């Protein structure tokens, strides 16, 4: 491979086998361990690392051309270390939304203007997902719904109310689509189901169906169980050699849709995008028994995440942790009896925890994702670091990266908030 530059990797941050069994992956898609060809192709126009919502959406947008666009389609190779959607996309909470509490953090970290731009971007992403589901006739159990963020303590409720009133007075964009329900109405509120703040149910089914569309058009190749272990550039940086567990591929363009595992291949993102471990559960009621009604729930599947307070102080269990084959022990039984504790009418429901799993998120220093061209490179692009909210960003972030590659436009012309652009200045924060 000549005298090119080898980009070091940190194998301890790459995906590991035998992950915990997620409810969303209990019935694997036919593409779960698919390989389009027996051997890796020797080269590809574009290599995409990762087949979650970010990687698959990037491939989809690259191939989704206008009718009058007669340019040749690029050859695309999608590499997945494990199975399709076996990372964060297949381990999520089953909804697309941005929590108001995280918006408050963004206001503090980035300022009201940048945080407002993120709110608008999330809103656009929700409708973007809705459109592609309808356009491609995807059976993703997706419904547009209102959602609730409920305070369980008086202290938290007081902080939420004060912040809401502050942002309402300031005209912050989120308040256009957000209401505050006081204690006197909290236990009997119902919201118009035609109103929209989030989309529920667009889970792994969205990604796998989009992947089917990608593989049915153009020159696309999917290789699962093919982990990327190293990347080497040639002398002039124009071509990369991607080394995997099954061989090597040459390409001028690499897309890193690697989220919490990014620093395993791009060491400049160490301490910039940090892997953190989170936990979620699937709760059921006994067979033959109807679950009590839950307002604004899209169906009777109950997926609950959280419980971070049970393990937050034990940082070695979750912070800078990349492995998802094990649970977070202090939270293992947090979900037992949760419905009975917090929801009226569920006291005698017999609801129980059917399964518990973990997943790896990518957390950034400033709370914003890293999107765009990797600083100092000729053909490397990234969309990662979603801070646990990838579904709220990834589809339109992928469109931005696809346009940068396909049309040669700069990040500034993509309609993605500038605070989400990956820059050397943001990377340098890790060294400060």
């Amino acid at each position: 491979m000549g005298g090119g530059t080898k980009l070091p990797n940190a194998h301890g941050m790459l995906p590991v086998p035998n992950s915990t069994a997620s409810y969303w992956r209990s019935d694997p898609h036919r593409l779960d361990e698919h390989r389009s060809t027996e051997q890796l192709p020797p080269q590809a126009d574009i290599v995409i690392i990762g087949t979650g919502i970010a990687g698959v959406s990037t491939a989809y947008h690259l191939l989704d051309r206008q009718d009058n666009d007669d340019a040749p389609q690029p050859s695309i190779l999608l590499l997945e270390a494990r199975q399709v959607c076996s990372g964060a996309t297949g381990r999520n909470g089953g909804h697309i939304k941005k929590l108001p509490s995280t918006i408050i953090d963004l206001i503090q970290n980035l300022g009201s203007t940048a945080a407002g731009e993120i709110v608008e971007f999330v809103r656009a992403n929700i409708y973007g997902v809705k459109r592609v589901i309808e356009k491609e006739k995807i059976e993703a159990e997706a419904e547009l719904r209102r959602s609730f963020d409920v305070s369980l303590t008086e202290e938290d409720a007081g902080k939420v109310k004060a912040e809401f009133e502050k942002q309402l007075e300031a005209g912050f964009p989120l308040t256009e689509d957000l209401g505050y329900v006081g204690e006197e109405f909290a236990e009997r509120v119902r919201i118009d189901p035609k109103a929209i703040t989030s989309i529920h149910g667009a889970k792994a089914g969205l990604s796998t169906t989009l992947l089917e569309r990608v593989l049915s058009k153009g020159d696309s190749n999917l290789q699962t169980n093919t982990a990327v272990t190293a990347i080497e550039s040639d002398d002039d940086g124009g071509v990369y050699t991607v080394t995997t567990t099954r061989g090597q591929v040459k390409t001028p363009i690499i897309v890193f849709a690697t989220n919490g595992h990014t620093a395993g291949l791009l060491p400049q993102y160490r301490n910039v995008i940090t892997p953190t471990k989170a936990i979620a559960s699937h709760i059921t009621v006994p067979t033959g028994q109807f679950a009590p009604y839950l307002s604004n729930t899209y169906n009777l599947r109950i997926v609950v995440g959280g419980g971070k307070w049970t393990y937050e102080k034990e940082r070695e269990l979750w912070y800078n942790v990349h492995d998802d084959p094990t649970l977070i022990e202090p939270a293992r039984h947090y979900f037992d009896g949760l419905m009975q504790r917090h929801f009226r009418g569920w006291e005698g429901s017999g609801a129980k925890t059917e399964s518990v799993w973990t997943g790896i998120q990518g957390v950034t220093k400033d709370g914003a994702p890293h999107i765009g061209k990797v600083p100092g490179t000729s053909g490397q692009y990234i969309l990662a670091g979603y801070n646990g909210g990838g579904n709220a960003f990834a589809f339109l972030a992928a469109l931005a990266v696809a346009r940068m590659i396909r049309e040669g436009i700069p990040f500034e012309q993509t309609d993605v908030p500038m605070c989400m652009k990956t820059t050397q200045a943001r990377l340098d924060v890790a060294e400060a």
Side-chain angles (χ1 to χ4, degrees), residues 171-251:
F172 188 69
L174 184 64
T175 60
E176 297 173 0
D177 199 35
L178 183 71
Y180 177 81
V181 179
E183 181 180 2
E184 64 274 24
F185 298 110
E187 292 192 2
R188 55 190 176 92
V189 67
R190 290 186 63 185
I191 304 295
D192 178 6
K194 295 180 181 178
I196 298 168
T197 56
S198 58
I199 185 167
H200 293 254
K203 48 187 177 60
L206 170 62
S207 299
T208 50
T209 306
L210 279 184
L211 184 55
E212 287 181 328
R213 304 295 191 270
V214 167
L215 296 179
S216 69
K217 63 177 73 172
D219 182 8
S220 302
N221 188 312
L222 167 65
Q223 297 290 328
T224 62
N225 296 303
T226 306
V228 175
T229 58
I231 296 167
E232 186 175 354
S233 64
D234 65 9
D235 291 318
D236 61 9
V239 176
Y240 298 98
T241 298
V242 179
T243 299
T244 78
T245 50
R246 296 176 50 237
Q248 296 180 326
V249 181
K250 290 186 178 295
T251 182

Side-chain angles (χ1 to χ4, degrees), residues 53-58 60-61 64 96 117-132 206 210 369-372 382-384 386 389-404 409 411 413-417 420:
I53 182 65
V56 171
S57 295
T58 302
Y60 174 81
H61 290 306
D64 186 35
I96 301 177
E117 291 173 352
I118 290 178
V119 168
E120 299 290 359
F121 185 78
V122 169
R123 182 181 296 163
N125 189 78
I126 289 173
Y127 285 104
V129 171
K130 175 181 182 292
R131 284 191 295 272
V132 78
L206 170 62
L210 279 184
H370 280 260
I371 300 169
I382 184 174
L383 55 166
Y386 300 111
N391 281 344
F393 296 105
F395 187 70
L396 288 191
L399 174 60
V401 169
R403 291 188 63 205
M404 291 177 71
I409 64 173
F411 180 90
Q413 295 180 20
T414 64
D415 296 326
V416 177
M420 293 161 62

Side-chain angles (χ1 to χ4, degrees), residues 100-101 104 108 151 153-167 180:
S101 57
I104 293 173
Q108 295 173 346
S151 297
T153 67
E154 289 187 11
E155 180 183 6
D156 184 57
K159 292 179 180 178
V160 169
K161 181 180 180 181
E163 188 64 33
F164 174 78
E165 291 176 346
K166 176 182 177 181
Q167 298 306 326
Y180 177 81

Side-chain angles (χ1 to χ4, degrees), residues 349-410:
S349 65
K352 64 178 182 178
T353 307
E354 184 269 336
S355 61
V356 180
W357 63 91
T358 54
I360 305 303
Q361 302 172 341
V363 173
T364 65
K365 289 283 187 178
D366 55 14
H370 280 260
I371 300 169
K373 181 175 282 189
V374 176
T377 70
S378 62
Q380 295 184 17
Y381 297 82
I382 184 174
L383 55 166
Y386 300 111
N387 299 282
N391 281 344
F393 296 105
F395 187 70
L396 288 191
L399 174 60
V401 169
R403 291 188 63 205
M404 291 177 71
I405 295 171
R406 189 178 66 198
E407 303 172 28
I409 64 173

Side-chain angles (χ1 to χ4, degrees), residues 13 26 38 62 87 98 102 118 137 156 165-166 168 192 231 249 263 267 291 317 343 357 377 392 408:
M13 300 186 73
S26 57
E38 184 176 347
L62 283 167
K98 193 66 177 167
T102 62
I118 290 178
K137 298 179 173 56
D156 184 57
E165 291 176 346
K166 176 182 177 181
L168 181 65
D192 178 6
I231 296 167
V249 181
L317 297 179
F343 292 89
W357 63 91
T377 70

Side-chain angles (χ1 to χ4, degrees), residues 44-323:
D45 294 328
I46 303 169
V47 169
I48 298 175
I49 305 173
T51 60
I53 182 65
V56 171
S57 295
T58 302
Y60 174 81
H61 290 306
L62 283 167
L63 298 174
D64 186 35
R65 306 291 189 87
Q66 300 296 322
D67 292 337
N68 60 355
D69 187 349
D70 57 0
Q73 296 278 36
S75 60
I76 299 175
L77 173 63
L78 294 108
L79 297 175
E80 172 55 56
R82 302 186 298 197
Q83 300 80 34
V84 168
C85 287
S86 60
T89 297
R91 299 171 178 280
N92 64 73
H95 59 254
I96 301 177
K97 62 174 288 184
K98 193 66 177 167
L99 297 175
S101 57
T102 62
I103 295 295
I104 293 173
D105 291 338
L106 288 174
I107 293 173
Q108 295 173 346
N109 292 336
L110 302 172
S112 293
T113 299
E117 291 173 352
I118 290 178
V119 168
E120 299 290 359
F121 185 78
V122 169
R123 182 181 296 163
N125 189 78
I126 289 173
Y127 285 104
V129 171
K130 175 181 182 292
R131 284 191 295 272
V132 78
I133 288 173
E134 294 168 345
K135 174 183 176 181
E136 298 293 346
K137 298 179 173 56
I138 296 173
E139 295 182 5
E141 302 178 9
E143 293 186 13
L144 288 166
R145 293 277 181 150
R146 279 281 179 185
S147 61
F148 293 102
D149 294 88
V150 182
S151 297
L152 298 180
T153 67
E154 289 187 11
E155 180 183 6
D156 184 57
K159 292 179 180 178
V160 169
K161 181 180 180 181
E163 188 64 33
F164 174 78
E165 291 176 346
K166 176 182 177 181
Q167 298 306 326
L168 181 65
E169 179 69 22
F172 188 69
L174 184 64
T175 60
E176 297 173 0
D177 199 35
L178 183 71
Y180 177 81
V181 179
E183 181 180 2
E184 64 274 24
F185 298 110
E187 292 192 2
R188 55 190 176 92
V189 67
R190 290 186 63 185
I191 304 295
D192 178 6
K194 295 180 181 178
I196 298 168
T197 56
S198 58
I199 185 167
H200 293 254
K203 48 187 177 60
L206 170 62
S207 299
T208 50
T209 306
L210 279 184
L211 184 55
E212 287 181 328
R213 304 295 191 270
V214 167
L215 296 179
S216 69
K217 63 177 73 172
D219 182 8
S220 302
N221 188 312
L222 167 65
Q223 297 290 328
T224 62
N225 296 303
T226 306
V228 175
T229 58
I231 296 167
E232 186 175 354
S233 64
D234 65 9
D235 291 318
D236 61 9
V239 176
Y240 298 98
T241 298
V242 179
T243 299
T244 78
T245 50
R246 296 176 50 237
Q248 296 180 326
V249 181
K250 290 186 178 295
T251 182
I253 297 174
I254 305 174
V255 177
F256 294 87
T258 42
N259 205 28
H261 300 285
T262 296
L265 294 172
L266 293 174
Q268 61 267 51
Y269 284 88
R270 183 177 290 275
N271 298 325
V272 176
I273 300 178
T274 302
T276 63
K277 192 172 183 176
I279 192 166
S281 69
H282 177 225
I283 297 175
T284 63
V285 297
T287 302
Q289 184 170 330
F290 290 101
Y293 176 72
L294 283 175
S295 178
N296 297 78
T297 299
Y298 73 96
N299 62 21
L300 295 181
R301 292 176 179 156
I302 304 170
V303 175
V304 182
K308 188 174 180 179
W309 65 270
T310 65
Y311 60 84
E312 187 169 14
K313 294 182 179 180
E314 300 178 69
R315 285 170 65 86
E316 71 278 5
L317 297 179
W318 62 277
Y319 189 80
N320 205 17
V321 173
H322 74 284
D323 69 303

